[in-house]
Amino acid sequence: DAKTTQPTSMDCAEGRAANLPCNHSTISGNEYVYWYRQIHSQGPQYIIHGLKNNETNEMASLIITEDRKSSTLILPHATLRDTAVYYCIVRVAPGSGGGADGLTFGKGTHLIIQP
Amino acid sequence: DGGITQSPKYLFRKEGQNVTLSCEQNLNHDAMYWYRQDPGQGLRLIYYSQIVNDFQKGDIAEGYSVSREKKESFPLTVTSAQKNPTAFYLCASSITWASNQPQHFGDGTRLSIL
């Protein structure tokens, strides 16, 4: 799986949009970009994923650059409950020789929403 | 209520003991996964199962064993051969093992050595 680079931590004011960047410059054409978040002592929560096109769901939007080398997760109106560690992950298609079919989590970005 | 249930939430093990962590899902998912998380670290894959009666080793399978006799259940045994078992263990499942299917996680089991 391609490696990702994320800032260690970020702050955002409550009610503002939180924009979390992720660099994945070695991503391959068949790799998806996934975003998860984890609140302390809980399991990771799936947020969104995409391949090439921008995606939006009830939680967030995912903006992927045209060259696919970076992406941004957008939480449109951040609340205190959005304080968590956010993980950006790329996942290779099964059988592509990229190793076991799990998700490779790095250290993520600790997002702190300020009141 | 659909989801993934892990039990127990906290587990203590004596030196030399095997312990089994439970993972049950009622989502009718084919694929299931076990991860380990150490403090301040990301997740590492222990074992995964793409379909019932099949499972594969992940990146850190040594000292662990699994079974997948039923679609909804994927128990993990931490054996005495695992020299550093203290960690947060997470189970996940996905509709299939395809890379465009998100994995959904349980709330984890925290294992400690007495």
Side-chain angles (χ1 to χ4, degrees), chain A:
Chain A
D1 293 342
K3 294 191 182 302
T4 62
T5 304
Q6 298 178 252
T8 303
S9 64
M10 292 180 63
D11 288 350
C12 179
E14 189 177 17
R16 304 297 293 267
N19 296 276
L20 289 86
C22 180
N23 181 288
H24 32 79
S25 57
T26 59
I27 194 170
S28 300
N30 62 352
E31 288 182 314
Y32 286 82
V33 179
Y34 277 82
W35 283 85
Y36 284 79
R37 71 182 182 185
Q38 187 175 25
I39 297 169
H40 183 61
S41 294
Q42 296 182 19
Q45 178 187 22
Y46 165 75
I47 301 174
I48 200 167
H49 74 286
L51 183 62
K52 296 180 183 177
N53 301 321
N54 298 337
E55 302 287 345
T56 296
N57 62 20
E58 65 279 4
M59 288 183 68
S61 295
L62 173 61
I63 309 298
I64 302 174
T65 57
E66 193 169 342
D67 63 7
R68 302 186 71 239
K69 293 185 177 182
S70 65
S71 61
T72 301
L73 178 74
I74 302 173
L75 307 178
H77 304 288
T79 71
L80 297 178
R81 287 179 295 180
D82 291 323
T83 292
V85 178
Y86 287 75
Y87 296 99
C88 170
I89 299 154
V90 294
R91 188 178 182 205
V92 69
S96 298
D101 289 324
L103 299 169
T104 301
F105 283 69
K107 295 190 176 180
T109 296
H110 188 193
L111 176 66
I112 300 171
I113 306 301
Q114 304 282 2

Side-chain angles (χ1 to χ4, degrees), chain B residues 46-82:
Chain B
I46 304 172
Y47 267 98
Y48 66 101
S49 169
Q50 295 174 352
I51 201 164
V52 66
N53 292 321
D54 176 76
F55 52 84
Q56 306 293 332
K57 291 182 179 180
D59 301 319
I60 55 164
E62 185 175 350
Y64 300 96
S65 65
V66 294
S67 62
R68 186 85 188 278
E69 297 174 1
K70 297 187 293 183
K71 186 175 186 177
E72 61 269 23
S73 178
F74 191 40
L76 173 75
T77 297
V78 184
T79 74
S80 57
Q82 171 49 242

Side-chain angles (χ1 to χ4, degrees), chain A residues 41-43, chain B residues 4-6 9 88-91 105-109:
Chain A
S41 294
Q42 296 182 19
Chain B
I4 301 167
T5 302
Q6 290 189 243
K9 190 171 178 65
F88 188 42
Y89 290 87
L90 288 155
C91 177
F105 287 81
D107 282 336
T109 292

